[in-house]
Amino acid sequence: MNITTEQGKTLKHAHGDVFRGLEVVEHACGMATLQMGEFVPNVSSGIDTFSIREPLGVCAGICPFNFPAMIPLWMFPVAVTCGNTFILKPSEKDPGASIMLAELAMEAGLPDGVLNIVHGTQNIVNAICDDEDIRAVSFVGSNTSWHAHIFTSISQRKTCSVEAMHKCRQSNMGAKNHAIVLPDASIDATLNALVAAGFGAAGQRCMALSTVVFVGDSKSWEDKLLERAKGLKVTAGTEPDADLGPVISKQSNEYVPGYEHGNFIGPTIVSGVTADMECYKEEIFGPVLLCMQADSLDEAMKIVNRNKYGNGASIFTSSGVAARKFQTEIEAGQVGINVPIPVPLPFFSFTGSKASFAGDLNFYGKAGVQFYTQIKTVTQQWKGLASGSGVSMAMPTSQKS
């Protein structure tokens, strides 16, 4: 309920927000095996070599408003189970869920000072970026100039140098996720997927499906999309039958009849869109679905690949050949085949690419463990050494001397 009342999303989507975050917690509970290194005995005569992963120290996370529970749970459970302490800065627009998560973590036995919540806006973000005691920063948000500071201030002045106490960084940013619809796609299943992925959560998610490219005729698809969009109910997120709640602020507000004093935007479909239009170039982050048309799969993939963003892309088809071609040639970090929002479970990583990601390693999964740790390789020798053997100036090798 806290998520719905602060952020506005529907109760059913708020439930999903929490559940997807808890999947990361569940995965992090296996950290003992996820951090296991490698061991090779007797790499040379009487010499063993092994690697271990060690915590960085103090890490920090800067969170957006759109997933008040899931995004914090992408970050601190992995960081603290790797042995780090963590500073979490929730969005100033809906910080309640982060406070509740911290209280639950302490109730579960997390020691005082391991997880720390700080509130604020740009000055707090700047302090996190500039503090040399913070070894790693995770960020999720838009590509605006303020948010870009988070990455540029780190990348220009910080590296992953342990000696200089510099920062590692990971940054999930804006997106323009595409779906390509081929003429052989299942009509009902595809329409349902487009509506849910395009308008769910009022379009305020980085994996929202904001652009659809129809191969061949688009008119019949658009008519059916319009019909289904009209059937969605826009109302307060606390209403059990709500399909869309309000957006987060009045800046992108468009009033819906009957809700003159709310931040409500109805499902919006824009047809005849071309790649030179402003609505296509920029991330809208609202319940807006752009419709484009291409004459072939190759042309459709060129449209997708030329876009600067690369979070996700999907194809809807009954052709295995077309799906294989799409999977191989599309330039996006997360690919769906008849799946509209291809976000992987936590044992994989969230693999956005191009302008949608900046940094060293992706969020959660194996990459997340690597991000919050540093690797150390140990070579040890316990064989008996003959006294008086003298100094050897030769280059050490695995060959017996």
Side-chain angles (χ1 to χ4, degrees):
M1 182 62 77
N2 171 270
I3 292 174
T4 297
T5 54
E6 283 194 348
Q7 199 271 349
K9 64 176 64 179
T10 64
L11 288 170
K12 54 192 172 186
H13 196 273
H15 179 271
D17 187 337
V18 174
F19 188 80
R20 287 305 295 260
L22 291 178
E23 290 176 338
V24 180
V25 176
E26 184 179 51
H27 185 62
C29 288
M31 190 57 68
T33 55
L34 297 175
Q35 285 194 94
M36 287 176 64
E38 299 170 313
F39 180 85
V40 180
N42 213 43
V43 293
S44 185
S45 179
I47 297 177
D48 306 328
T49 298
F50 60 92
S51 65
I52 54 178
R53 302 208 72 91
E54 296 184 331
L56 299 174
V58 182
C59 303
I62 300 164
C63 302
F65 71 84
N66 57 327
F67 285 98
M70 184 183 75
I71 301 299
L73 291 172
W74 279 9
M75 299 177 183
F76 78 79
V78 180
V80 300
T81 53
C82 284
N84 303 285
T85 59
F86 201 81
I87 299 168
L88 181 69
K89 196 212 86 66
S91 170
E92 66 279 7
K93 298 174 181 177
D94 49 11
S98 289
I99 296 297
M100 296 172 70
L101 291 172
E103 291 172 345
L104 289 170
M106 293 184 69
E107 185 180 323
L110 197 67
D112 291 349
V114 174
L115 175 61
N116 311 273
I117 310 294
V118 297
H119 300 285
T121 54
Q122 184 171 352
N123 62 322
I124 299 299
V125 171
N126 292 345
I128 290 172
C129 290
D130 295 339
D131 193 321
E132 291 191 352
D133 288 330
I134 297 175
R135 296 288 310 284
V137 175
S138 302
F139 167 76
V140 177
S142 72
N143 294 61
T144 62
S145 57
W146 169 39
H147 291 147
H149 165 80
I150 294 165
F151 178 73
T152 56
S153 67
I154 297 170
S155 62
Q156 289 173 1
R157 295 175 290 152
K158 311 266 198 291
T159 65
C160 275
S161 166
V162 175
E163 294 81 1
M165 295 296 284
H166 288 168
K167 289 179 175 57
C168 302
R169 72 273 192 245
Q170 58 182 185
S171 185
N172 272 5
M173 299 184 289
K176 200 74 173 180
N177 304 306
H178 295 69
I180 294 176
V181 178
L182 297 187
D184 64 357
S186 169
I187 294 175
D188 282 339
T190 301
L191 289 170
N192 289 339
L194 295 178
V195 170
F199 303 131
Q204 296 177 121
R205 47 188 177 188
C206 61
M207 284 297 289
L209 207 165
S210 58
T211 304
V212 56
V213 184
F214 296 106
V215 176
D217 175 60
S218 62
K219 181 68 166 58
S220 60
W221 285 102
E222 290 170 359
D223 290 343
K224 293 183 177 70
L225 270 177
L226 182 61
E227 181 182 341
R228 298 201 181 197
K230 285 180 177 179
L232 297 178
K233 184 172 182 178
V234 183
T235 184
T238 52
E239 297 293 328
D241 58 346
D243 294 311
L244 281 78
V247 294
I248 192 69
S249 67
K250 292 183 179 296
Q251 277 73 17
S252 58
N253 184 35
E254 187 177 302
Y255 294 127
V256 173
Y259 288 93
E260 297 122 13
H261 305 296
N263 301 331
F264 292 92
I265 302 177
T268 304
I269 297 171
V270 184
S271 62
V273 174
T274 56
D276 59 344
M277 293 181 178
E278 201 64 27
C279 64
Y280 177 74
K281 293 179 183 178
E282 301 301 326
E283 183 181 34
I284 296 175
F285 221 62
V288 179
L289 183 61
L290 309 181
C291 296
M292 306 177 76
Q293 191 272 333
D295 293 330
S296 66
L297 175 58
D298 285 329
E299 182 185 345
M301 287 195 296
K302 284 180 181 178
I303 292 172
V304 179
N305 289 343
R306 285 172 182 161
N307 192 274
K308 66 181 178 180
Y309 294 113
N311 243 5
S314 298
I315 189 170
F316 291 89
T317 181
S318 59
S319 168
V321 173
R324 174 70 68 175
K325 178 181 178 67
F326 176 83
Q327 171 191 320
T328 303
E329 299 180 17
I330 207 67
E331 296 173 10
Q334 294 162 116
V335 175
I337 297 173
N338 296 318
V339 174
I341 303 180
V343 177
L345 289 172
F347 36 83
F348 291 95
S349 297
F350 190 102
T351 52
S353 63
K354 296 164 71 173
S356 296
F357 178 78
D360 301 302
L361 292 159
N362 295 105
F363 285 81
Y364 60 81
K366 291 181 180 178
V369 175
Q370 292 168 2
F371 178 76
Y372 288 119
T373 57
Q374 54 195 2
I375 195 164
K376 180 181 287 183
T377 304
V378 179
T379 300
Q380 62 182 11
Q381 175 178 261
W382 292 108
K383 68 180 181 179
L385 299 175
S387 59
S389 58
V391 176
S392 173
M393 302 300 290
M395 176 73 177
T397 71
S398 60
Q399 293 179 315
K400 291 184 178 181
S401 57

